Amino acid sequence: MPEWRVIIRERLAGLTLEGAAESSLTEELAQHLEDCYREYRNGGAGEEEAYRKTIAELDNTHPLAAAAQRLQYSTSYEAISVGDNRPGSFFEDIWRDLRYAARNARRSPLFVLFVVLTLGLGIGANTTMFTLINTVLLNPLPVPNISELAAVCVPGSQASAKTGVPLPLSYLDLKDYRTRNVAFQSLAGYSSPRVITWQASAGSDKLGEHSSGSQRLFAELVTGNYFYALGLQPVVGRFFSPDEDATPGAHAVAVLNYGTWKARFGGTPQIVGRNLTLNNVVFTVIGVAPAHFIGINGIFGPDVWIPSAMTERLLPTELHNAFDDRNKAVFFGMGRLKPHVSRTQAQANITAIAANLAREYPETNQGRSAAVWSIRDVLFVGASTGSSSIFFASAGLLVVVGIVLLIACSNVANLLLARSSARNQEMAVRLAIGASRRRLIRQLLTESVFLGLLSGLAGFVIGYAGLRLVFSGWAVSSNFIAPKLDLTVFAFALCVSVVTGFLFGALPAIKTSRADIAEALKEEARTTGRSRRKVSLANALLVGQVAFSFLLLVTAALFLKSIGRAYQLDPGYQTAHLAVFMTNPGQAGLAKPQAKAFYRHVHDRVTRIPDIQSASWSSNIPLWSRPVSGLEIEGRAKRFQAEAISTIINTVDLGFFPTAGIPIEGGREFNNTDQENSRPVAIVNEKLAHDFFPRGDALGKRIRLPGQEQFREIVGIARTANYTSWGEAPQPCVYVPLEQNYVDAMTLYVRTRGDPRQVVAPVQAELHAEAPEIILANVLTGPELISDGLFQTKIGVALLSAFGLLALGLAAIGLYGIMAYSVNQRRREIGLRIALGAARFRVLQLIIKEGMTLVLAGVLIGFAAAEVVGRFLSRLLYGVSASDPLSVGAAILVLSIVALLACYLPARCASRLDPLVALREG
Amino acid sequence: MSPASPDQEWKKGSAEFLVLSLLEDKPRHGYDISKLIQIRSGGVLSFHVTTLYPLLYRLEERGWIVGRWVEKSEQRRRRYYSLTPAGRKVLRSQRQSWKEFVAAISRITGVEHA
């Protein structure tokens, strides 16, 4: 290859360009000639020919020389890729920064791992909580336009419709509201889920291995327009037609829950047309409801929906007279409001109808009102706590996970600050070659958002795992609401990640970009420690972390103690030696005489078991009772709707009170004289006696239960107990004898001498021996009853404790990181101290003291915060004061131990420094 | 218009237009430009180094294009020319008047332009 540079220089000899320009011009032209030459050669020309043709390009150099001379020939040089000719646009810059961030991340994998783990835990905790909230509160009903839906119910005993518990309407009332209202497009009715028995072994039901013997299912009775009003479409088959709900008992059809269809019938589309024998009535399956829809009772739903016209045939004893008795309240009203009709307008309409009904049917409807609820307010009627406390708890926990994330952010921010001194030089160089500060901040923020997104990915995975963990304690069944990891959750995690990136990146970015060019460049590679300002900022962040973790720990400790206390609360009956067995002879097809014989025989058999002290029957399960409205007291006129008395009603057999451990405070227990044809009697609890007979003259007075014709004489007063939830406010209760009020589903109460778990198997054997066709729906011992009653609180406490410990762990890591960093930065100083004769334990002391001062400040602030938060929490605590010294002490102890450890390790490191090495390094 | 022997004057006037057009979609180096002119004109037009570079420097001097040394990985560095916003504007107006010119010529001569 000829030396083109030399040739060009010769040809352009007259040119007087400055050095750089001249060599640049020469290089450009030489490259061109080189390319030409190579091409001629590749085209088959010989060396000489190629040379001749190429050199011809330089025939007349005059114009070239002139142009080059005229032009201020630019030698500017850029290491940019081709195509980057335009001045950097916003997105191109972001892309460039992102790639730079990714390169940076690859260079320090440990740092990235730490950040991703720390933030991932924080984001994961948030994702878990948000999924729960999204599932339960934000998106509980998978139906279109949920805001158009409203419920019509009877307000509970509380005066105001908005605070009372929504209670059901009678079938006739619902029908009247349905036909007379002008506010709803269509008003449907639904019951709460009822236990039914599926005779799965009955001939045509056989569906493979799943079907054997009798199984327990839950059924909801709904009006024919129920699915239509909700705007749902069946997955398979169809929903009820209006005529299927027109004639009582005529059309035995059923719609299956999607989960039940999948789990029990393998999701076969051939399900339509199959028969199901439910409570000895043969039903035909006509369709399957859409996935995720489990009815309106938010958390817990039925396996099948049955048209309301089948009410009496499905549950003959329980819902006897449901069609013609306005006192038999079974159905909740629900419907879609007409366009442009507000809930207030609907309320006015319903109130007017209620007033008319009260005039038309004074016997039953006087003083009974109805209220229009937002559908969200009736979603959790089935849950013992109601929607407001679920909302309260969720909001609380969301705040907690928010704090955990903040701690994680401040940890990472601290780490970035520590790194910022190392990057000072890089920033200074960038500033020196003309980057603007804004541009630097943007680049640093892009880096942190990039890290945030990485962590978000990890967080999403951790959140999913956390969700599995939370729901592993939840009975897996198609009846329960299932957590949904949908797009909303993903969008939430994404937003949190980006915000997180800004949050932990902003402070360090501003700090770092403020690099003093001259100083930073002079410092060379050696850093002499963090500036005072940086240290104090890091310390402030750390104090905040400690304060927050302390707050969470105290709160968790308070709730833990409160749960411990809750177990010791007196529910009004004995639990230590109690076991209950739920049976349902009516659904197994036993008629009244057989069922009564069953109750009697089982009682006799069971009491023969040596370890059993006594046994009795009750219609209610502890903590599962629901109040009903409409109790009447003789001689007491209902003047206001607020005076409609709601009460718990419990049908009990002889010997119930001693077996359950409920003391009779006045009058007598039920005895053999209380027979079907003798004088109707009742026992009331102290709460009812005190509220309605304040002069203490309840004995001998008469009351009438809703739906019954005869008045009952009060013959005894029992102590008030917890009926609906643990530690509840006292509520009225009426006990009636089984002989006078037959119920076809009763629960056997057994009082044992020793551990109730010991008798479960023998009692089950006796029950089976007496009537093998009767399924034992559920067996619970006293302690299990309490655990179930405290289930929601326990889940809350478990989450709170987990998050509290997470926060503590993060704070400890942060503390350790800062101490280790500061020790490392002060090696020279520490080395000097040791060289000058400081004892090693003094050094240890010095470092620990520094760390623990921060911890102490955090604890003090956290303590003050806990005091404030405690005020809000006091109403959720069972018998524990919000400033309980034991809880506070425990939190301080745990925090101190962890903090001490986090300080000790770096301190020990410092005290073992070899002064010679430290000084030489410095 | 016979494409067989384009005369020098015409070539000089339209050369600027050609170079600006070639730089419109992406930056190119000198050799690239000269090859493209040769290939796309089917060998009818070609520029010697001594014609092309003075032209490039002139355009650069006017601020219509800018030359920059660019280093791509695995390649020797090269001087790439790219259009400046001013050059882009000039290209647009030249293209417009060229169109009008060609249209006028063909109206007069009855020659269909390609």
Side-chain angles (χ1 to χ4, degrees), chain A residues 642-677:
Chain A
E643 286 183 9
I645 304 168
S646 58
T647 177
I648 304 283
I649 297 174
N650 194 357
T651 304
V652 299
D653 201 4
L654 303 187
F656 171 75
F657 293 95
T659 302
I662 300 174
I664 297 289
E665 304 286 350
R668 67 169 174 90
E669 251 196 85
F670 297 131
N671 57 34
N672 278 324
T673 62
D674 302 316
Q675 289 301 319
E676 204 165 353
N677 43 15

Side-chain angles (χ1 to χ4, degrees), chain A residues 505-527:
Chain A
L507 257 178
I510 293 168
K511 290 263 167 204
T512 312
S513 68
R514 208 182 269 156
D516 182 335
I517 302 176
E519 274 308 306
L521 292 178
K522 244 188 295 175
E523 259 185 24
E524 292 174 3
R526 196 177 70 204
T527 44

